[in-house]
Amino acid sequence: MNQQSILVSHAGGPEVMELGVTPVQTPGEGQVLVKIEAIGVNFIETYQRSGVYAVDYPFTPGTEFSGTVTELGKNVRHLKVGDRVATSSGTKGYAQFAVVDENQLGKVPDNVDLRLAAALPLQGMTSHYLTHSSYLVRSGDVILTYAGAGGVGLLLTQILKMKGATVITTASTQEKKDLARAAGADYVVAYDQVEATVDQVTDGQGVHAVYDGIGKDTFDTSLKVLKRRGTLALFGGASGQVPPFDLQRLNAGGSLTVTRPKLADFLATDEERAWRFGDVFGWVASGELDIRVGQQFALKDADQAHRALESRQTTGKVLLVP
């Protein structure tokens, strides 16, 4: 059986992504075949497509998607045909079908829309590990985040408010500011207002933690606004990677902590994966967590999805639909 997939034959702009025909793989031991309902589009895929991150060509992007199990490989223990599932750790997801290791999938509750579920695994699990593991947020903490109207930003703010934190975040337009406030952010400011806002809100003490997915352009500010013994979780580099820096700056800044986490290390066991998937999808099922899908594109229009993402004009999650 064949399927439609996006193929990238060489590094370049969005136009190098073309719709092609590829065979549907057969699941091996411990794997299942998933009929894909929707695909989450993520910034890392623009790096892979453009050649910033090395990949082997021809290449089909896509690690995050939702769908239905249609075939089981040998020795699959916890899934059956018909199960509704989602993953942030798949491969070749810009397609109609994908083979996935059983232990990389989480089950989607029946009362969560399957298409909406594609918007959750990466940003939802990232928001969970940041607030529950990288720095354990406590009620009363003051937290700085960036890009409050983005896919991570909207979920992160909601989870921070569930935990009783005061949230300072950034947004570049009035529409984005309104979205961030609707998610619960207490202070939504322009990037050049961050230091003054933190100083005012904390009486000059600084924030307990900063969750920074921007990287190079915000790193110095993130360190500067931390309180004594504060934590900076640098979980992305949308503006570029942070260059090497003198560790003595952490001492001088007040015994600061900097961590550079990645999601895979926080989904390291079946138990941990079940915990994070269970919390995040459970919050959506109960109505405690709201997901915003900003734009949806047909699979054949993956190039348009990448252009929208790279323009920085998107809000919430961008999806592809096969």
Side-chain angles (χ1 to χ4, degrees):
M1 182 171 69
N2 290 330
Q3 64 171 333
Q4 291 185 325
S5 301
I6 292 296
L7 298 172
V8 181
S9 59
H10 60 278
E15 69 281 355
V16 302
M17 295 190 294
E18 298 181 346
L19 190 66
V21 176
T22 60
V24 174
Q25 293 178 285
T26 299
E29 185 160 350
Q31 296 181 322
V32 301
L33 180 66
V34 176
K35 184 179 188 297
I36 295 175
E37 178 72 20
I39 305 134
V41 181
N42 296 298
F43 223 89
I44 189 174
E45 290 138 25
T46 70
Y47 295 153
Q48 293 165 334
R49 182 215 72 225
S50 65
V52 173
Y53 289 177
V55 296
D56 293 327
Y57 300 104
F59 172 68
T60 296
T63 62
E64 181 183 37
F65 47 85
S66 62
T68 304
V69 175
T70 61
E71 185 179 346
L72 307 179
K74 292 181 179 179
N75 298 322
V76 171
R77 297 178 298 158
H78 304 300
L79 294 173
K80 64 182 185 300
V81 171
D83 278 349
R84 307 162 83 246
V85 293
T87 185
S88 61
S89 307
T91 59
K92 301 181 180 179
Y94 284 23
Q96 293 177 302
F97 293 85
V99 167
V100 191
D101 290 347
E102 177 189 25
N103 61 11
Q104 298 298 328
L105 291 162
K107 290 186 180 181
V108 177
D110 289 341
N111 60 341
V112 175
D113 180 84
L114 197 53
R115 186 171 295 187
L116 200 61
L120 265 177
L122 185 62
Q123 277 87 356
M125 299 305 117
T126 295
S127 298
H128 192 283
Y129 85 70
L130 288 173
T131 54
H132 289 70
S133 301
S134 290
Y135 171 78
L136 180 59
V137 177
R138 297 170 177 83
S139 181
D141 283 354
V142 182
I143 306 294
L144 170 65
T145 73
Y146 296 99
V152 171
L154 290 171
L155 296 176
L156 188 56
T157 292
Q158 292 177 76
I159 295 172
L160 287 168
K161 295 308 296 181
M162 285 184 209
K163 293 178 74 68
T166 295
V167 179
I168 303 169
T169 193
T170 61
S172 58
T173 67
Q174 189 59 50
E175 178 193 9
K176 291 184 176 183
K177 288 178 180 179
D178 290 344
L179 287 170
R181 289 192 184 98
D186 299 281
Y187 303 90
V188 186
V189 299
Y191 286 85
D192 60 2
Q193 298 174 316
V194 166
E195 289 186 42
T197 303
V198 169
D199 191 60
Q200 176 187 354
V201 172
T202 67
D203 293 326
Q205 296 301 302
V207 297
H208 294 79
V210 180
Y211 296 120
D212 186 341
I214 305 298
K216 181 171 64 69
D217 290 352
T218 51
F219 182 74
D220 288 336
T221 298
S222 296
L223 280 184
K224 189 173 182 180
V225 301
L226 285 171
K227 69 180 301 179
R228 179 179 293 164
R229 292 164 55 183
T231 296
L232 166 55
L234 181 69
F235 66 95
S239 68
Q241 300 306 310
V242 174
F245 72 100
D246 183 359
L247 288 174
Q248 187 61 23
R249 290 176 62 184
L250 305 182
N251 179 305
S255 299
L256 306 178
T257 296
V258 174
T259 180
R260 182 59 176 90
K262 66 178 185 293
L263 178 57
D265 291 328
F266 292 86
L267 295 173
T269 66
D270 291 344
E271 293 75 20
E272 190 170 41
R273 193 176 302 104
W275 168 42
R276 300 196 197 281
F277 268 93
D279 276 1
V280 172
F281 279 102
W283 292 330
V284 173
S286 67
E288 295 174 87
L289 190 63
D290 181 60
I291 314 167
R292 178 180 173 82
V293 174
Q295 292 176 272
Q296 295 184 50
F297 297 87
L299 180 62
K300 65 181 179 62
D301 297 324
D303 60 330
Q304 296 181 32
H306 275 218
R307 288 188 180 94
L309 200 64
E310 291 177 308
S311 73
R312 312 280 183 177
Q313 298 304 306
T314 60
T315 58
K317 189 69 176 183
V318 177
L319 296 181
L320 292 177
V321 180

